[in-house]
Amino acid sequence: MIKLASDISLASAVTPKKAWSRAILERFQLHLKHGRALKRVTVLNKKKKQEVCRGVESISRPDKLRGLVPGGERMDYCTLLEETADYIKCLETQVKAMADIVKSLCP
Amino acid sequence: MDSLPESSTSIPFAQGVSEPFHFGEEIRGFSSENHLDSSSFTALLGLQSSEALVLLHPPISGQNISGKGNSGQNYSTVLNHGEVSTTLPANASLVERAAKYSVFATKAESDIAPGSFSIESNSGDTSGKFAGDSDSQSKEGSYVAVDDRTVTICSREKQTMKRKEADQLKVKAGTKKSKGDVENGRGAGSDENVTRSPEKPAYVHVRARRGQATDSHSLAERARREKINARMKLLQELVPGCNKISGTALVLDEIINHVQYLQRQVEFLSMRLAAVHPRVVDFNFDSFLSSEPFQPFSLGLTASNGVMAARAEEPAWSPVQVNGVQRPWPTATCANQYEGTHSFSVPQNPPPSLANSGTPSLRPNQLKMEL
């Protein structure tokens, strides 16, 4: 869990110009103040509630995407697409980096 | 200067500004200078319009642009008049553009229109609409090098930068994609573009294609749609296997799946790392939360691990040229170095301040975490 936290904060430190990284940072700072590290749980709960109430199929695709991309709920569709592209790229690098770490740690 | 009768709607400035990547693409297409992003481009336009205003008042000798040599004079006059940005002289195409604008401005009321059309008609796409004689004169342009699609600007170009940008944008957008639906018909629309007599007050004409509405709302919508489509294309390139899928909905689904997959992978890997590597980590979040310029070596890294991670990341960055969108990708390499070494720094360099898990002295800035 803490690894997750570290990764998230690092991912946000990568490109602070982008909105999603700012969103992650904000989340993190909030939780710092409260002294807990929840982050994803709350967002996920919201989404699950939505799903349960409405049924999974009724969530439109952009909404799904908003739920996935951090900070995506406040963006319009255009910005959302841009942020998604950025986010995907960063996720890919993150995965690569972590895979390398794992490889080096446990051969 | 004079009041241009704007019979058609004016394009909001925001639109012009909101399409920086179109500008970026075009500019990169004809200028080799990297620092010419949209902001400097508009600045240039602004400069040129101001120069045009300046030039209109003092009479300028050698106003004939019928010959290349005279156009050279115009260049010099442009350059001499006031604060031309330093990029202008360095770039021939920009100089040409500046000259063009200045020429248009000076020739606002004169019968330079045929000459101006010759310059404009270099644009291959709309050339069919121009008068026939303009094509013959088009060759004498050293303006060929300039992105002439942008110039459907008539002689009375002094009209505000906004419209220039927006219309250039529209023309560019229209010509880039063959659909080209973002075009504006000023005045009577397509007919005026063809005739374009010099006596008529000049409009910034952007041709409206057939069967497409020309009011501002639909234009805005069309611009927005094009934006969205461009970004969808980007995403398609990013996500493997999306190129074959046709249809926005399925592509979106694929994108969502991919994002979920990546997130799951990150989780999985992090769990794995956590299992392998139980430790006490002291994160000093305040330092790297507050400072956005990222300092990769703030945690006392081990060089070897950092190098390893960095090497793994560098080949990933070189092919990353996201078309039309500028992103500060190089910073990611630093971050990944950091990431690679972060986990190693703790067992090797236990931070002196808060040592053990036993002491729950939580400063507000620091989180003590146990794995």
Side-chain angles (χ1 to χ4, degrees):
Chain A
M1 177 130 354
I2 291 90
K3 271 252 169 40
L4 261 181
S6 72
D7 301 333
I8 291 170
S9 53
L10 285 170
S12 61
V14 167
T15 46
K17 288 185 188 178
K18 275 297 165 183
W20 64 261
S21 59
R22 265 176 265 138
I24 295 180
L25 276 169
E26 282 170 16
R27 256 190 245 169
F28 202 72
Q29 277 167 347
L30 257 179
H31 291 294
L32 265 184
K33 285 173 189 165
H34 296 167
R36 297 175 71 197
L38 285 178
K39 272 178 288 303
R40 287 189 179 178
V41 182
T42 54
V43 179
L44 281 175
N45 281 340
K46 247 194 253 173
K47 191 181 175 192
K48 278 177 190 164
K49 270 189 208 164
Q50 275 182 357
E51 284 189 11
V52 166
C53 295
R54 301 195 213 162
V56 183
E57 307 89 17
S58 59
I59 299 183
S60 62
R61 283 180 213 91
D63 289 339
K64 271 192 207 159
L65 206 48
R66 276 172 220 259
L68 283 179
V69 177
E73 285 151 21
R74 297 166 212 154
M75 300 181 209
D76 51 338
Y77 194 58
C78 282
T79 338
L80 186 64
L81 290 180
E82 197 176 334
E83 301 285 329
T84 314
D86 205 47
Y87 187 57
I88 289 179
K89 203 58 200 164
C90 286
L91 275 183
E92 281 178 5
T93 11
Q94 200 181 12
V95 163
K96 238 183 155 185
M98 289 178 66
D100 289 336
I101 296 171
V102 168
K103 233 192 281 180
S104 75
L105 274 188
C106 38
Chain B
M1 315 282 285
D2 327 286
S3 56
L4 258 194
E6 292 188 33
S7 53
S8 65
T9 59
S10 62
I11 298 188
F13 183 61
Q15 269 193 348
V17 174
S18 65
E19 311 257 352
F21 56 87
H22 280 301
F23 280 127
E25 285 176 270
E26 289 296 324
I27 291 171
R28 261 179 250 119
F30 67 82
S31 86
S32 55
E33 292 182 334
N34 298 330
H35 58 278
L36 258 193
D37 54 349
S38 61
S39 57
S40 62
F41 179 59
T42 58
L44 275 173
L45 283 181
L47 276 175
Q48 288 156 8
S49 66
S50 63
E51 285 168 356
L53 289 174
V54 168
L55 289 171
L56 266 172
H57 295 293
I60 300 173
S61 63
Q63 290 185 357
N64 308 330
I65 62 164
S66 53
K68 278 186 198 173
N70 292 330
S71 58
Q73 290 181 20
N74 278 327
Y75 294 168
S76 55
T77 54
V78 166
L79 292 178
N80 292 334
H81 274 273
E83 49 285 342
V84 180
S85 73
T86 54
T87 63
L88 267 181
N91 195 343
S93 58
L94 287 173
V95 169
E96 290 162 0
R97 175 171 289 213
K100 225 186 295 187
Y101 291 159
S102 67
V103 160
F104 291 162
T106 57
K107 292 299 178 178
E109 289 82 19
S110 69
D111 54 346
I112 196 59
S116 67
F117 294 150
S118 74
I119 301 161
E120 298 168 0
S121 65
N122 284 333
S123 61
D125 50 349
T126 55
S127 59
K129 309 295 180 182
F130 285 88
D133 63 335
S134 55
D135 287 334
S136 61
Q137 294 191 20
S138 66
K139 288 157 197 153
E140 59 180 20
S142 40
Y143 305 101
V144 182
V146 183
D147 188 349
D148 296 296
R149 296 184 213 138
T150 69
V151 186
T152 55
I153 297 179
C154 282
S155 50
R156 193 131 349 157
E157 66 79 33
K158 70 85 203 156
Q159 191 50 342
T160 58
M161 196 170 71
K162 312 177 185 180
R163 218 205 271 181
K164 244 190 285 182
E165 279 180 2
D167 288 333
Q168 285 180 5
L169 166 76
K170 297 291 184 281
V171 175
K172 282 177 199 169
T175 59
K176 276 191 70 86
K177 315 179 182 181
S178 53
K179 318 172 199 172
D181 44 359
V182 185
E183 297 205 3
N184 189 15
R186 304 280 174 108
S190 49
D191 293 341
E192 280 208 9
N193 282 337
V194 178
T195 57
R196 233 201 274 215
S197 55
E199 301 89 28
K200 274 190 197 169
Y203 292 96
V204 190
H205 280 294
V206 183
R207 164 128 325 124
R209 298 282 169 100
R210 279 201 162 199
Q212 304 210 344
T214 60
D215 44 309
S216 64
H217 295 293
S218 47
L219 276 173
E221 285 170 20
R222 240 179 274 139
R224 190 171 163 271
R225 249 179 276 149
E226 286 205 359
K227 231 179 159 184
I228 291 180
N229 285 334
R231 291 182 181 165
M232 284 289 299
K233 267 194 205 168
L234 270 177
L235 279 171
Q236 263 187 313
E237 292 168 20
L238 218 45
V239 178
C242 263
N243 295 322
K244 304 165 192 169
I245 305 180
S246 56
T248 331
L250 299 173
V251 170
L252 264 182
D253 281 335
E254 196 55 44
I255 291 170
I256 291 174
N257 282 335
H258 195 242
V259 170
Q260 283 171 337
Y261 164 71
L262 287 174
Q263 283 177 341
R264 255 182 274 137
Q265 256 193 330
V266 168
E267 267 191 64
F268 173 69
L269 281 173
S270 69
M271 295 316 266
R272 208 164 149 199
L273 275 176
V276 169
H277 213 67
R279 60 195 170 144
V280 175
V281 177
D282 222 358
F283 288 109
N284 188 359
F285 291 112
D286 193 32
S287 62
F288 73 86
L289 276 180
S290 55
S291 64
E292 299 216 331
F294 195 67
Q295 290 139 18
F297 295 105
S298 56
L299 265 198
L301 325 151
T302 60
S304 60
N305 294 324
V307 168
M308 177 196 68
R311 252 193 245 126
E313 291 322 308
E314 272 168 354
W317 292 126
S318 49
V320 174
Q321 285 298 331
V322 185
N323 295 329
V325 185
Q326 295 178 355
R327 295 198 175 120
W329 288 121
T331 61
T333 59
C334 295
N336 285 314
Q337 284 182 26
Y338 183 70
E339 198 177 345
T341 58
H342 188 78
S343 54
F344 301 115
S345 65
V346 175
Q348 289 146 7
N349 302 326
S353 52
L354 292 176
N356 304 323
S357 53
T359 62
S361 60
L362 263 180
R363 293 186 216 167
N365 300 337
Q366 284 184 350
L367 258 185
K368 175 170 292 187
M369 304 196 222
E370 279 194 26
L371 283 180

